Amino acid sequence: MPDTPSPAAADPTAGDLRAMREALYRGLFEHAPLEVHMWRVERDAQGAIADWRLLDANPAALKAWGRELEQVMGHRAEEIFPGSNAVANFLPLVRQIMHSGQPTQWEAHFAGTGQTLRMVSIPVGGCFISAGFDVTQERERQQALELALQRVTQATRAGGVGLWDWDLRTNQVRYSDEWKRQLGHEPHEIGDHFDEWRSRVHPDDMPRVMALINDHFERRSTLYVSEHRLLAKDGSWRWIMDRGQAI
């Protein structure tokens, strides 16, 4: 007797597929590590966007906001984040999102939550969906690094110290502006290559300098230290104290 498919094994109906898809979307919405929130724009009497009202927000967004969904559902941005000037700060962006009709990527600091957000916003009819990540710590680390580099630059400039960084894999050398100024050059006049240094070392000093470099690479010295002459832009030879360490 031929097998007959059981009802459970029958192909799903269009309604079943729709329900499955909605369940999958809801699961993604609820458990995604990125923030997701949905807004409906509100317009004034002239049809211009004046505000936006929250339709839904996922747990990641609510956690960042420090709110429960019941506290913010259906509220305007200014009501959810009082004193943050959310509309004044983000109105140009929301207008751009709705006008473009296309996904819009953006990054901005939001005083209402103290976050720097990297988001993509997608307009859908009279609404838009925003999804993305909090990159506050990343930006703070970047700012701290930039500040540290500024301080190092100021200190080396004040001390008349030129810095260089040699990548042996590519043979590229990054020379600081102060290093170039010591030889009378503007920053744009010297490129990032080992030959910029090698071509300026005095021929009589080159064998000794290369021997010192090789000694350091072979771990026969803890530091590379050399005094030698470099050719300046005006044609003169300038004595340089060079110090470095391979990492």
Side-chain angles (χ1 to χ4, degrees):
M1 180 180 293
D3 293 335
T4 57
S6 64
D11 291 338
T13 66
D16 293 335
L17 289 173
R18 188 180 305 109
M20 291 170 58
R21 184 177 61 183
E22 290 175 357
L24 289 171
Y25 286 162
R26 174 52 60 174
L28 176 62
F29 179 79
E30 294 289 343
H31 300 291
L34 68 167
E35 297 185 23
V36 185
H37 24 94
M38 307 176 186
W39 305 85
R40 183 180 72 242
V41 299
E42 296 189 342
R43 300 178 181 272
D44 58 22
Q46 287 72 43
I49 297 174
D51 208 334
W52 41 98
R53 191 181 295 270
L54 183 69
L55 297 178
D56 204 354
N58 75 339
L62 295 169
K63 181 180 179 180
W65 299 351
R67 307 292 180 84
E68 298 294 332
L69 184 59
E70 295 76 15
Q71 296 176 307
V72 293
M73 178 81 80
H75 290 268
R76 295 184 177 91
E78 289 288 0
E79 296 171 337
I80 299 173
F81 308 107
S84 66
N85 296 320
V87 172
N89 291 328
F90 285 91
L91 183 57
L93 176 60
V94 173
R95 286 175 173 168
Q96 177 187 345
I97 293 167
M98 301 306 294
H99 177 73
S100 70
Q102 300 293 326
T104 300
Q105 297 185 42
W106 55 274
E107 183 175 312
H109 180 76
F110 181 40
T113 60
Q115 297 173 284
T116 298
L117 299 170
R118 182 187 297 155
M119 309 287 285
V120 58
S121 295
I122 304 170
V124 182
C127 307
F128 65 93
I129 304 170
S130 292
F133 290 97
D134 181 345
V135 294
T136 306
Q137 291 185 346
E138 180 183 336
R139 289 293 167 262
E140 288 176 348
R141 286 194 295 267
Q142 183 179 10
Q143 291 172 1
L145 177 60
E146 290 174 353
L147 179 60
L149 289 174
Q150 289 175 5
R151 289 174 175 170
V152 169
T153 300
Q154 292 169 354
T156 55
R157 182 174 298 173
V161 177
L163 300 179
W164 48 268
D165 180 351
W166 182 13
D167 187 336
L168 298 176
R169 296 166 300 180
T170 63
N171 221 25
Q172 286 190 312
V173 184
R174 290 179 290 273
Y175 307 95
S176 71
D177 291 351
E178 182 61 27
W179 190 96
K180 299 171 185 179
R181 275 192 285 267
Q182 288 179 355
L183 300 178
H185 287 277
E186 295 297 320
H188 68 276
E189 293 177 337
I190 294 181
D192 295 333
H193 199 274
F194 179 69
D195 286 340
E196 295 280 13
W197 173 83
R198 181 167 51 190
S199 65
R200 290 174 170 80
V201 177
H202 195 287
D204 293 344
D205 298 338
M206 179 62 79
R208 175 175 52 84
V209 175
M210 293 308 300
L212 290 170
I213 291 175
N214 288 329
D215 282 346
H216 183 56
F217 287 160
E218 295 297 328
R219 301 183 184 275
R220 290 190 288 269
S221 63
T222 56
L223 288 174
Y224 156 68
V225 181
S226 173
E227 291 187 30
H228 52 266
R229 289 162 287 184
L230 290 180
L231 182 64
K233 184 177 180 179
D234 62 7
S236 64
W237 293 100
R238 300 186 184 180
W239 281 96
I240 300 293
M241 163 71 81
D242 225 4
R243 299 171 63 89
Q245 185 172 31
I247 300 175

